[in-house]
Every structure is written in structure tokens, then in C-alpha cells.
Amino acid sequence: MDRFARLTLPASLNSLKALLDFAHAGAERAGLSPEQRNQLDLVLEELVVNVARYAYQPGNGDVELAYAVDGPGALLIEISDKGRSFNPLESSDPGLSDSLADRPTGGLGLFLVRRMAGPITYRRDHDRNTVSFRFPSPQSLEP
Amino acid sequence: MNIEPTKLDKAVLLKVTGRMDAENAHEFEQACEQWISQGTRHLIAELEGLEYVSSMGLRSFLSVAKKLQSSSGSLILCGLHGLPRQVFEMTRLIGVFPVYESAQQAIAGL
């Protein structure tokens, strides 16, 4: 039996709240703290926004969020879409200059995902992009 | 997200509470642009009650700050804590904006 709970919705900003609410049920079952839940929201928002903006022609596809409780205090998360092939791990880091004039306004979303979620895996199979990670990352629990 | 403006002598204080995300970050930008278009040079964002900010929020902060900088003004942040502070630190934006602990300190620094 599939141990993942799954929700598929249109890949749009309008789906964001329902997807986060769905993930909150998993966060509660895994016993994540309110602070960790907030961090998880951030990672999920950035990944869903990325799919909504870049995976499809506007209004043309779905995003699936899946989670499984991976022992006490941890969730396995998978986000997938059937849009164009895109590996978020390959996007370059934005410049992090201290000078306002030199800072681009964008490009921070996937950077935050990589920093906040810890180790992430990406796979492309059957015309599907899937990003998966364990939250909180095992690394963040180390002293 | 709620934005409550207070007009001061040298600046406008915007008390931002709640969550700033992909759906509503543009509202903050629009509120700031209204004040900028009325000639305000310094905006102080009081973020004591801001619980959450994502990259779309950061984009709005940066965009407003760049507009103000071009007219020798500034976007000043105060009261950053919790996840928003963590996000500003991770992205090293904490060094890009003038950041104060409290609105009083920000006002005194003008």
C-alpha cells in the first residue's frame, strides 16, 4: 500500500493554501514544532510557485504534493509535476552582495529551498519531475 | 497580512503583521509605492508582528528599497524575528537593509 498521502491540484497560486493545509496535517502527525511548520511552509511555497510559474503554459497542468510520516519528528515530502524537465538543484545561486544596487530582486526562492530543506533529490521519469526531501533535514538535527 | 501606516515627521512607519507570501507580497509593494509617489523618502517597516516571509516578500522589500535608494531615500527594517529574521540572514539581506531592533531606534537613526 502507498504510504504517502497525496493531493493533486492545478499548478497555480490559488492552490497554495490548500496544499499547505494538506501538508499541515502531515506536520501535525509527525509532531513538527510551529517553527518547523513555518519553515516547511516556506519550502513548499517556493517549490509550488516554481511549478506554477515555470512548469507549464499558464493554467495548463497539475502539481501533486505527497507526504509520509518518516518516524517521529520527520516528514518525507514529494512534489511532482508533468511539466517541462526542470531540476531545481541545478539553478545557480543568486549573488549575495551586501550592496543594494548589486542585488537582483529575484532568484532567492530556490536558494532558500536548498538552504532550508537540506538534502533534496530530483528525478525525472515518465515525463514527470519529482523533488523529494526529508523535513526537517537529518543534518539540521545534528548538534 | 495587514499593513498599518503612521505618518511621522521624517518618515512613514508601516506596521506589517501576519504572513507575507506569494499571494499578497504585492500588496506591501503597492502600499509603499503609494507613499513614495506622495514624496515619502524614508519608509520604516515595523516587522514585530510579521510571522512569515517567502522569496516573493523579499522581492518586494528589495524592489521598494531600490526605488527609495534612487531618490536618496531608504527602506528601514525593525523588529525582525523568527522565520523572517532567519530568511533575511540566510540570504544575507540583513546586511543590505538598515536594520534596527525597534521602531524607536529606527526613528532616532533618521
Side-chain angles (χ1 to χ4, degrees):
Chain A
M1 198 180 102
D2 186 359
R3 66 187 178 119
F4 279 86
R6 298 177 186 277
L7 178 66
T8 303
L9 289 174
S12 94
L13 278 186
N14 295 333
S15 301
L16 189 57
K17 189 177 180 308
L19 289 166
L20 294 186
D21 285 347
F22 176 70
H24 290 168
E28 194 165 320
R29 275 179 49 203
L32 299 196
S33 68
E35 190 184 32
Q36 288 170 328
R37 201 182 76 169
N38 231 7
Q39 292 171 339
L40 178 62
D41 280 358
L42 178 74
V43 174
L44 295 179
E45 177 183 324
E46 303 297 353
L47 289 170
V48 170
V49 165
N50 195 60
V51 172
R53 291 182 135 191
Y54 304 117
Y56 305 102
Q57 297 293 323
N60 250 351
D62 292 334
V63 59
E64 181 190 89
L65 173 62
Y67 71 80
V69 177
D70 189 34
L75 276 177
L76 284 180
I77 299 277
E78 283 192 359
I79 295 183
S80 56
D81 64 77
K82 290 182 181 169
R84 67 184 178 88
S85 174
F86 177 73
N87 181 351
L89 305 182
E90 286 176 352
S91 67
S92 56
D93 279 351
L96 298 180
S97 162
D98 282 345
S99 155
L100 177 60
D102 294 340
R103 287 294 291 252
T105 51
L108 293 169
L110 293 176
F111 172 78
L112 279 170
V113 168
R114 290 193 293 270
R115 292 294 306 276
M116 199 74 89
I120 296 177
T121 59
Y122 166 80
R123 63 177 190 274
R124 174 87 180 168
D125 53 17
H126 295 92
D127 293 332
R128 202 173 176 87
N129 298 302
T130 302
V131 173
S132 49
F133 58 94
R134 187 176 185 271
F135 191 89
S137 98
Q139 288 175 356
S140 72
L141 301 176
E142 288 169 10
Chain B
M1 177 177 65
N2 189 47
I3 303 168
E4 193 184 309
T6 308
K7 207 166 182 324
L8 308 170
D9 279 351
K10 296 181 185 169
V12 170
L13 179 76
L14 298 166
K15 189 174 179 179
V16 186
T17 53
R19 294 167 67 90
M20 191 187 295
D21 59 19
E23 284 188 278
N24 65 17
H26 65 278
E27 293 170 17
F28 173 75
E29 209 171 325
Q30 284 167 358
C32 291
E33 278 166 5
Q34 271 191 344
W35 287 105
I36 294 169
S37 68
Q38 290 170 32
T40 301
R41 277 180 53 211
H42 299 289
L43 289 170
I44 303 172
E46 208 268 75
L47 307 175
E48 198 86 39
L50 185 69
E51 298 153 16
Y52 175 94
V53 66
S54 64
S55 69
M56 289 301 281
L58 299 180
R59 180 189 287 265
S60 291
F61 281 112
L62 277 164
S63 171
V64 170
K66 281 173 181 280
K67 281 191 187 113
L68 285 164
Q69 190 182 47
S70 68
S71 54
S72 306
S74 59
L75 173 61
I76 301 158
L77 311 182
C78 58
L80 265 176
H81 71 286
L83 180 85
R85 184 166 198 102
Q86 190 183 10
V87 165
F88 272 82
E89 284 173 352
M90 264 183 184
T91 55
R92 290 181 47 186
L93 285 174
I94 202 100
V96 170
F97 294 87
V99 176
Y100 292 87
E101 287 299 312
S102 68
Q104 287 95 325
Q105 288 172 9
I107 294 162
L110 283 173

